[in-house]
């Protein structure tokens, strides 16, 4: 069983930056696909960025060039560096993990393990 705990959310002005962190339990972090999702009120949860076991990243178009996903296997921690934030980036951000991704790493159905979320508000 994998436990995920996000942190780093907050309120920021448009154009600002935030770095989200997701600490995972267990010793299998390096062998898991990891991803960040977000969900705004009244909207479906959407994939933001994902990183595979080799460190290759995938981004949704809306955040390309502004967000960077990374991970530190020694610290069992996933990061999301968010720059040039826009009001439309406001949402609850969740990290997710799974040992296998069969189709699209930005689909919610690909992941069995989820954190509780951290709120990001951009004004």
């Amino acid at each position: 069983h994998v436990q995920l705990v996000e942190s780093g959310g907050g309120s920021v002005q448009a154009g600002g930056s935030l770095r989200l962190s997701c600490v995972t339990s267990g010793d299998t972090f390096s062998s898991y696909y990891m991803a960040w999702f977000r969900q705004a009120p009244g909207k479906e949860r959407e994939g933001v960025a994902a990183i595979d076991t080799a460190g290759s990243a995938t981004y949704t178009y809306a955040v390309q060039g502004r967000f960077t996903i990374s991970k530190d296997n020694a610290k069992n921690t996933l990061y999301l560096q968010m720059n040039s934030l826009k009001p439309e980036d406001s949402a609850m951000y969740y990290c997710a993990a799974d040992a296998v991704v069969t189709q699209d790493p930005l689909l919610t159905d690909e992941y069995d393990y989820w954190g509780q979320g951290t709120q990001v508000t951009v004004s």
Side-chain angles (χ1 to χ4, degrees):
H1 182 69
V2 177
Q3 291 185 318
L4 310 172
V5 179
E6 304 96 332
S7 64
S11 296
V12 64
Q13 292 187 336
S17 298
L18 285 173
R19 188 177 81 156
L20 306 183
S21 299
C22 173
V23 178
T24 70
S25 64
D27 58 1
T28 57
F29 177 81
S30 62
S31 64
Y32 272 67
Y33 281 79
M34 304 290 299
W36 288 99
F37 288 77
R38 66 186 180 187
Q39 187 167 20
K43 295 188 177 181
E44 292 187 356
R45 191 170 298 189
E46 64 170 349
V48 175
I51 188 165
D52 67 15
T53 56
S56 294
T58 302
Y59 299 93
T60 191
Y61 179 78
V63 308
Q64 287 180 4
R66 300 189 298 122
F67 291 12
T68 302
I69 189 171
S70 63
K71 62 178 183 174
D72 186 333
N73 290 335
K75 295 182 178 180
N76 281 11
T77 302
L78 177 73
Y79 301 101
L80 184 68
Q81 178 66 44
M82 306 187 295
N83 299 328
S84 301
L85 283 161
K86 305 175 181 180
E88 52 263 43
D89 294 318
S90 296
M92 185 71 78
Y93 282 71
Y94 300 89
C95 68
D98 207 292
V100 178
V101 170
T102 58
Q103 296 185 7
D104 184 344
L106 295 181
L107 290 179
T108 56
D109 288 350
E110 296 282 6
Y111 298 90
D112 285 338
Y113 302 107
W114 294 85
Q116 293 300 306
T118 185
Q119 179 68 42
V120 171
T121 303
V122 185
S123 60

